[in-house]
Amino acid sequence: MLEVNDISLTFNEGTPDEKQALQDINLKLSKGEFVTVIGSNGAGKSTLMNIISGALLPDVGDVQINEKKVTMMPEYKRSRYIGRVFQDPMAGTSPTMTIEENLALAYSRDKKRSLRPGVNKKRRDFFKTALNSLHLGLEDRLSAKVGLLSGGERQALSLLMATFTNPDILLLDEHTAALDPSRATLITNLTREIVEKTQLTTLMITHNMQQALELGNRLIMMDKGQIILDIAGEEKQALTIEKLLHEFQRIRGEQLGDDRAILG
Amino acid sequence: MFISIFGAIEAGVIYAIMALGVYLSFRVLDFPDLTVDGSFVTGAAVAAIAITNDVSTVLATTLALITGFIAGSVTGLLNTKGKINPLLSGILMMTALYSINLRIMGQSNIPLLNQSTVFTRLSEIWSGLGIDSALNQGLSAIGASSLPRTWSILIVMLVVTLVIKFITDYYLKTEVGLALRAAGDNEKMIRSFSANTDYLKIMGLGLSNGLVALSGALYAQYVGFADLNMGVGMIVVGLASVIIGESIVGTKSIMRTTFAVILGAILYRIVIALALRSTFLDANDTKLITSVLVILALVIPKLISTHKESKRKRRKRIALQQRAKGEV
Ligand SMILES: Nc1ncnc2c1ncn2[C@@H]1O[C@H](COP(=O)(O)OP(=O)(O)O)[C@@H](O)[C@H]1O
Ligand SMILES: [Mg+2]
């Protein structure tokens, strides 16, 4: 489904700010896999996701989606296959447009946009059913401007918009990190529900180890631009935070404990 | 008095098309596009040169629209592909258009007085209908002394402008239109939904300047000449129309906002016409009045809301003090 081969990327090469963000990354996701990604700040998690989505181009290496090379395909074309939710709840929706208009934008993701109305009776019914699954009552506020929604509601809507057209890949970059704990739990639960129901191939970055353990069927840990741990299946089910910290120490020979961010 | 207001409304309705164009760039795309100063003249120039070369008036006006579209697209290209910032892209294009417009016209002014224009053609058809005399009779009945020569321009231009308004309203609700609005609102987001934002911006600026040029072409035919300098400050006039209209009518929905923009353009012309009737202002002061209008339209609503807010706070504080006294 998704293949990342020998990807490296260095920012600001040849300047004092030079930073190798990714080093020889290899990653393969098969259909329906739900992978959680953890790692300290600056480990390169977002950079990896940006390379998959096409927001950044790698120095070397390539990206394949469905056996098709997309390394140089522009971001907007690639997003036909990729659903994304960003950390900032403001980033995934258009605030001056209504809920139904936002859904219509997302609905056109894998189609050619035409000069027909974006919202019609049939679509409105479909949007209502889809919004129902969020359990937030948004289906009764179809013509409310999205800018009026709370951060949690906006993020739930973003999640729906990213997933309801069944993209090949779903990328989530700390999409609960900017929310208060109860909203974060809401979005986490929705994520679990949606991915379970649609069987989307998902890559989810999280700063919260507990969340990384609870969700998904595979876990990878990144550090200093490399994938240092990749655990799936029953081994992943049996994983605990202590074991993870221990693994990190074993691999890196240093303590991870001082990085509070990763504990969440 | 009546005649000058009548003329202001006529011109306002023609300007409204330009203002709708400015609305598209300034509000929908969030792109303050200064190309307008040039593309308004481009429209006038193309129409004038075509008409003096015996091209049919409708075709001449259509050519103007297309040329404006091209000019706007180039601004879009400069911004998206050339990565030049929006203001500078517009300024560069506006400056380039000054020379291009002179090239098109060959001289700095083309009179159209003895030419057949959309409006002369219109009045030929119109005079047979007898609408003018009916309307003017009505006016004299309510006591107007000086009567407009023809109602044809006002009525037909109103229809044309409203048709453009309704097309714009519809367009902004289509799949492409929604993507265009999103490109002005949240570019990163709409790119993640597979829309080519560069293409949308180029097209949006093209449409915007197409409307501006159409307005310029009609205005030239209305006043009977095209002049190299007739676009100076046009962007501010467009902004004035958008801002004045929005602050009066509001922006609840697209349909309402485009209506606001049209009303704003007409009000703008009326205010200018009234201002020029005063003894101490003359036509050379128009630009100054325009800027002052925009400043007022931007500042006054803010002052009002600040004032309301401080009044509300004062009221609360006083209420609290009184309650405290009562409890002691
Ligand atoms: N656009 C950029 N320009 C320069 N350096 C960057 C840029 N984006 C990220 N970096 C650097 O690359 C490293 C990896 O960043 P990132 O992928 O955002 O980390 P993470 O998401 O794991 O916290 C960091 O050191 C960061 O400072
Ligand atoms: Mg990050």
Side-chain angles (χ1 to χ4, degrees):
Chain A
M1 181 53 70
L2 173 68
E3 250 184 75
V4 171
N5 297 320
D6 304 317
I7 292 276
S8 296
L9 179 65
T10 303
F11 288 111
N12 307 314
E13 194 156 25
T15 73
D17 292 332
E18 178 168 314
K19 170 84 204 175
Q20 176 151 34
L22 294 177
Q23 283 179 52
D24 287 323
I25 296 278
N26 283 288
L27 180 66
K28 218 181 239 183
L29 264 65
S30 32
K31 196 166 164 50
E33 244 181 337
F34 182 175
V35 182
T36 53
V37 184
I38 54 173
S40 45
N41 277 327
K45 306 180 297 293
S46 298
T47 305
L48 175 60
M49 217 166 247
N50 285 333
I51 284 180
I52 296 172
S53 70
L56 287 173
L57 297 181
D59 292 340
V60 295
D62 60 49
V63 180
Q64 290 183 20
I65 298 176
N66 282 332
E67 265 97 76
K68 212 176 121 201
K69 235 193 209 172
V70 296
T71 318
M72 291 298 151
M73 185 189 272
E75 183 186 3
Y76 77 88
K77 275 194 189 156
R78 223 185 283 192
S79 53
R80 269 178 168 255
Y81 317 114
I82 303 175
R84 264 185 288 171
V85 183
F86 308 103
Q87 177 172 349
D88 176 6
M90 305 300 145
T93 47
S94 172
T96 65
M97 295 165 73
T98 63
I99 293 181
E100 60 181 12
E101 285 170 341
N102 269 277
L103 286 164
L105 286 172
Y107 188 79
S108 301
R109 175 217 298 286
D110 53 356
K111 303 163 192 70
K112 193 168 160 40
R113 290 187 165 81
S114 76
L115 287 176
R116 280 192 295 272
V119 181
N120 57 31
K121 171 85 180 63
K122 206 173 130 219
R123 283 190 191 175
R124 192 170 282 135
D125 290 342
F126 174 66
F127 295 162
K128 271 194 180 161
T129 326
L131 283 168
N132 247 322
S133 68
L134 298 181
H135 326 299
L136 290 171
L138 294 182
E139 59 277 9
D140 302 322
R141 300 168 66 189
L142 280 180
S143 46
K145 296 232 165 102
V146 168
L148 300 171
L149 303 185
S150 73
E153 287 168 334
R154 280 184 79 161
Q155 201 66 330
L157 181 62
S158 307
L159 187 61
L160 180 65
M161 287 165 61
T163 52
F164 80 145
T165 53
N166 283 320
D168 294 318
I169 296 160
L170 175 62
L171 301 179
L172 307 168
D173 188 351
E174 303 203 25
H175 69 308
T176 63
L179 304 172
D180 63 61
S182 68
R183 303 292 181 153
T185 310
L186 171 88
I187 299 296
T188 307
N189 291 337
L190 279 175
T191 308
R192 189 196 329 246
E193 249 172 66
I194 291 175
V195 176
E196 236 160 55
K197 197 173 72 191
T198 53
Q199 291 295 308
L200 290 173
T201 311
T202 304
L203 200 57
M204 179 178 95
I205 300 177
T206 173
H207 62 291
N208 181 328
M209 271 202 191
Q210 195 56 45
Q211 196 183 40
L213 293 175
E214 280 169 18
L215 293 180
N217 41 33
R218 183 173 161 194
L219 178 146
I220 64 179
M221 188 193 270
M222 288 184 69
D223 188 51
K224 305 205 172 82
Q226 292 175 314
I227 294 176
I228 57 167
L229 195 65
D230 189 341
I231 298 175
E234 282 173 18
E235 206 183 335
K236 153 96 168 45
Q237 303 304 328
L239 214 51
T240 61
I241 292 184
E242 288 73 40
K243 277 192 202 165
L244 266 180
L245 293 174
H246 182 76
E247 273 300 301
F248 182 84
Q249 200 169 359
R250 191 181 60 76
I251 300 165
R252 282 306 187 192
E254 56 185 282
Q255 203 119 25
L256 191 68
D258 54 15
D259 191 336
R260 290 188 312 119
I262 199 165
L263 286 163
Chain B
M1 175 76 174
F2 178 78
I3 291 293
S4 73
I5 300 250
F6 188 87
I9 298 176
E10 276 180 343
V13 175
I14 297 176
Y15 267 30
I17 299 174
M18 179 274 300
L20 284 171
V22 171
Y23 165 73
L24 277 185
S25 55
F26 182 61
R27 283 291 190 238
V28 176
L29 280 177
D30 196 18
F31 190 114
D33 177 24
L34 302 187
T35 314
V36 170
D37 277 25
S39 58
F40 187 81
V41 184
T42 307
V46 169
I49 211 72
I51 286 171
T52 49
N53 283 296
D54 294 327
V55 176
S56 88
T57 54
V58 172
L59 180 60
T61 310
T62 312
L63 283 176
L65 190 150
I66 294 170
T67 321
F69 183 92
I70 295 170
S73 308
V74 175
T75 305
L77 278 173
L78 292 177
N79 172 242
T80 56
K81 304 296 177 197
K83 312 252 185 270
I84 301 173
N85 97 21
L87 273 176
L88 190 53
S89 306
I91 291 173
L92 288 170
M93 197 55 204
M94 170 187 86
T95 309
L97 281 176
Y98 190 86
S99 299
I100 294 172
N101 292 336
L102 188 54
R103 280 275 177 188
I104 295 172
M105 303 208 294
Q107 63 208 55
S108 62
N109 188 295
I110 300 177
L112 290 171
L113 283 177
N114 299 317
Q115 300 287 338
S116 99
T117 67
V118 262
F119 298 114
T120 60
R121 296 286 304 279
L122 193 64
S123 65
E124 282 160 24
I125 304 168
W126 190 266
S127 55
L129 299 178
I131 300 175
D132 281 345
S133 55
L135 285 171
N136 281 344
Q137 258 164 23
L139 270 185
S140 351
I142 59 169
S145 52
S146 53
L147 298 170
R149 201 171 38 80
T150 171
W151 287 78
S152 61
I153 297 177
L154 180 59
I155 291 174
V156 171
M157 278 317 302
L158 209 52
V159 171
V160 170
T161 304
L162 285 177
V163 167
I164 291 173
K165 172 200 148 46
F166 289 124
I167 294 175
T168 309
D169 293 346
Y170 176 85
Y171 174 75
L172 291 176
K173 298 238 169 219
T174 62
E175 291 170 352
V176 177
L178 290 178
L180 185 81
R181 285 161 62 197
D185 205 16
N186 189 344
E187 208 179 323
K188 181 174 167 189
M189 167 258 184
I190 190 60
R191 227 182 289 129
S192 81
F193 289 111
S194 75
N196 184 347
T197 48
D198 287 358
Y199 163 79
L200 287 168
K201 280 189 190 171
I202 294 167
M203 186 184 60
L205 290 173
L207 290 175
S208 162
N209 284 286
L211 290 180
V212 172
L214 172 64
S215 174
L218 292 169
Y219 192 71
Q221 295 173 66
Y222 171 68
V223 295
F225 63 86
D227 189 275
L228 191 58
N229 292 311
M230 71 200 298
V232 176
M234 199 48 74
I235 180 65
V236 185
V237 177
L239 292 181
S241 310
V242 172
I243 293 167
I244 294 171
E246 284 181 348
S247 65
I248 293 173
V249 180
T251 58
K252 267 237 167 59
S253 63
I254 301 252
M255 281 172 67
R256 188 154 168 171
T257 314
T258 50
F259 173 71
V261 169
I262 294 174
L263 194 72
I266 296 171
L267 283 177
Y268 164 79
R269 293 296 305 207
I270 293 178
V271 172
I272 295 286
L274 291 178
L276 293 184
R277 287 177 66 85
S278 71
T279 46
F280 55 94
L281 292 169
D282 65 41
N284 292 324
D285 297 319
T286 321
K287 307 269 184 273
L288 175 63
I289 306 169
T290 309
S291 290
V292 171
L293 269 179
V294 175
I295 293 167
L296 289 180
L298 286 174
V299 173
I300 289 177
K302 280 207 192 90
L303 286 180
I304 291 176
S305 72
T306 323
H307 179 70
K308 272 194 188 144
E309 189 61 17
S310 68
K311 237 167 89 178
R312 189 181 66 87
K313 291 212 166 107
R314 197 163 58 227
R315 217 173 27 238
K316 278 207 150 170
R317 227 171 288 146
I318 290 171
L320 199 65
Q321 277 170 3
Q322 279 169 347
R323 197 154 0 114
K325 262 186 220 150
E327 277 168 10
V328 169

